[in-house]
Amino acid sequence: FIVILSRFANLDKKMMDFSESRNAYRSFEVSKNFFSPEIIYEKGLYGQALTIFSSLYLKTFGSSEFAIRAFIIFFSLLIFVALFLLRNYYDFSFLLTLAIMLLISPSMTYFSRSFKPDLFVLSLFSLLLLFLIKYLKNNKSSSLIFCFILAGLMFTTKADSIFLLFILSSFFLYLFL
């Protein structure tokens, strides 16, 4: 409840900055002509995954500053859902400490209230970790397939996500070699 309240409080009072408004405008334009073949990748913007998902969201729920930021808040809540789903694998006090640190983190609060791809990538990364841990514990191939899908969505959202996956893979290489 605190997570939802801290993210939605005065959400529409903050002005959009340049990159937010540029991404929101692109999503709004794509949402108007979603099935048009003229949807082209623009080099100045971030990857297409964020644009496609947000334009589908805008097409469904309407377009406003509140709506576009609520889209990102939904993905910030996915991080806490992923932590909750890890409760069978890790100690509850560890997960609670991690959740409190994420809740009071100024950068998490900023990025979870702004329409920027950073939090979208972080939520995909937390879900990737969840499915990777499930795969390592249960050895189900469906979890590994979800890992690859989430990694692909991360790559098509922001180019910097390759560094997150490099750090994660080097950690697992160190752990298992």
Side-chain angles (χ1 to χ4, degrees):
F1 177 73
I2 295 172
V3 175
I4 295 171
L5 184 65
S6 69
R7 300 311 190 243
F8 277 103
N10 296 323
L11 187 62
D12 53 349
K13 302 282 189 233
K14 179 182 164 252
M15 274 181 61
M16 283 191 165
D17 64 15
F18 176 72
S19 66
E20 265 187 298
S21 59
R22 186 175 63 166
N23 291 325
Y25 179 74
R26 174 73 175 145
S27 298
F28 175 71
E29 286 297 313
V30 170
S31 73
K32 289 193 306 187
N33 305 315
F34 190 76
F35 295 106
S36 171
E38 289 120 20
I39 297 176
I40 306 167
Y41 176 71
E42 292 185 19
K43 293 179 187 171
L45 298 177
Y46 296 109
Q48 289 296 89
L50 180 64
T51 303
I52 290 171
F53 285 126
S54 59
S55 59
L56 282 173
Y57 175 84
L58 289 176
K59 195 162 196 62
T60 307
F61 295 106
S63 57
S64 68
E65 282 187 34
F66 182 84
I68 199 69
R69 287 185 174 148
F71 169 77
I72 289 295
I73 288 177
F74 168 74
F75 281 98
S76 76
L77 296 177
L78 279 180
I79 297 169
F80 292 96
V81 169
L83 286 176
F84 178 74
L85 293 174
L86 285 172
R87 72 189 183 283
N88 296 332
Y89 303 107
Y90 291 100
D91 183 40
F92 178 74
S93 60
F94 167 72
L95 294 174
L96 183 64
T97 305
L98 189 56
I100 289 172
M101 287 171 51
L102 289 171
L103 178 66
I104 62 174
S105 165
S107 60
M108 275 293 294
T109 304
Y110 170 76
F111 282 114
S112 67
R113 296 171 51 89
S114 301
F115 184 61
K116 295 183 178 182
D118 303 290
L119 199 95
F120 187 69
V121 167
L122 185 61
S123 63
L124 292 175
F125 185 70
S126 63
L127 290 174
L128 185 136
L129 284 176
L130 169 71
F131 284 111
L132 186 62
I133 290 168
K134 281 187 169 209
Y135 172 73
L136 292 174
K137 299 287 184 179
N138 302 333
N139 208 14
K140 284 187 170 181
S141 61
S142 61
S143 297
L144 191 60
I145 290 170
F146 278 120
C147 285
F148 289 129
I149 291 170
L150 291 167
L153 286 173
M154 285 173 60
F155 289 147
T156 60
T157 301
K158 195 167 181 185
D160 297 350
S161 58
I162 196 165
F163 296 117
L164 283 172
L165 292 179
F166 174 73
I167 292 168
L168 178 69
S169 59
S170 24
F171 172 73
F172 279 108
L173 280 174
Y174 171 76
L175 201 61
F176 292 113
L177 292 180

